[in-house]
C-alpha cells in the first residue's frame, strides 16, 4: 500500500528539482549530513582516510559521466537494496546531491 505513494512523491520531488534552474540547495549542509550519515561506508571528503572497501567514494561518484545532482537526489529518495534507508527529506537529499556535485572540480 505504501510503495506507490512513496513512488509518486519521489516523482513529484524529481519534477520539482528539475524545474529549478538554480537548484537552490545548500552544499555545506549537505557536507554535514554526508559526514554524519554516509561516512561510515563512503569516503565523503578528501581528508577522510577510512571507509568500507568496495563502496564508491563521493568524488568518484561525482566524476561519473552520467552524474547529475537531480539524479542523485532521486536515487537518495528511492529505497536502495545495499544501503540503509535514510529518512531524508527532499531538501536534505538535494543538499547532499549538491555537495557531491561540488566535489566534481
Ligand atoms: C551501510 C553502508 C552505507 C552507508 C551508510 C551509505 N552507503 Fe551509499 N552505498 C553503499 C554501498 C555498499 C554502495 C554500492 C551499491 C552497489 O554497488 O550497488 C553504495 C552506493 C552509493 C551510491 C552510488 C550508487 C551507484 O549508482 O553506484 C551513492 C550515490 C550513494 N551510495 C550515496 C550515499 C549517501 C548520500 C549516503 C548517506 C546519506 C550513503 N550512500 C550511505 C553503502 C552505504
Amino acid at each position: 500500500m505504501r510503495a506507490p505513494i512513496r513512488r509518486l512523491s519521489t516523482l513529484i520531488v524529481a519534477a520539482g528539482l528539475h524545474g529549478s534552474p538554480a537548484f537552490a540547495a545548500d552544499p555545506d549542509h549537505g557536507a554535514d549530513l554526508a559526514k554524519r550519515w554516509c561516512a561510515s561506508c563512503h569516503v565523503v571528503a578528501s581528508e577522510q582516510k577510512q571507509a568500507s572497501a568496495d563502496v564508491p567514494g563521493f568524488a568518484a561518484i561525482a566524476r561519473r559521466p552520467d552524474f547529475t545532482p537531480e539524479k542523485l537526489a532521486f536515487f537518495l529518495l528511492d529505497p536502495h537494496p545495499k544501503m540503509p534507508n535514510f529518512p531524508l527529506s527532499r531538501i536534505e537529499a538535494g543538499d547532499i546531491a549538491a555537495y557531491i556535485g561540488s566535489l566534481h572540480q
Side-chain angles (χ1 to χ4, degrees), residues 3-33:
I5 295 171
R6 189 183 160 101
R7 193 153 297 276
L8 182 64
S9 62
T10 306
L11 282 175
I12 293 168
V13 166
L17 291 174
H18 230 70
S20 61
F23 196 67
D26 178 352
D28 292 337
H29 184 227
D32 287 347
L33 295 173

Side-chain angles (χ1 to χ4, degrees), residues 5-95:
I5 295 171
R6 189 183 160 101
R7 193 153 297 276
L8 182 64
S9 62
T10 306
L11 282 175
I12 293 168
V13 166
L17 291 174
H18 230 70
S20 61
F23 196 67
D26 178 352
D28 292 337
H29 184 227
D32 287 347
L33 295 173
K35 282 174 191 154
R36 191 160 355 130
W37 285 338
C38 322
S40 53
C41 299
H42 293 269
V43 171
V44 307
S46 53
E47 71 266 18
Q48 188 185 332
K49 301 279 178 264
Q50 285 250 292
S52 301
D54 299 334
V55 179
F58 283 3
I61 290 170
R63 279 194 300 268
R64 288 183 186 163
D66 60 344
F67 172 85
T68 67
E70 288 86 353
K71 270 185 19 194
L72 193 95
F74 187 95
F75 167 82
L76 291 177
L77 292 172
D78 218 26
H80 191 72
K82 288 194 196 160
M83 276 170 48
N85 239 336
F86 298 104
L88 291 175
S89 72
R90 71 165 270 201
I91 309 270
E92 290 167 328
D95 289 352

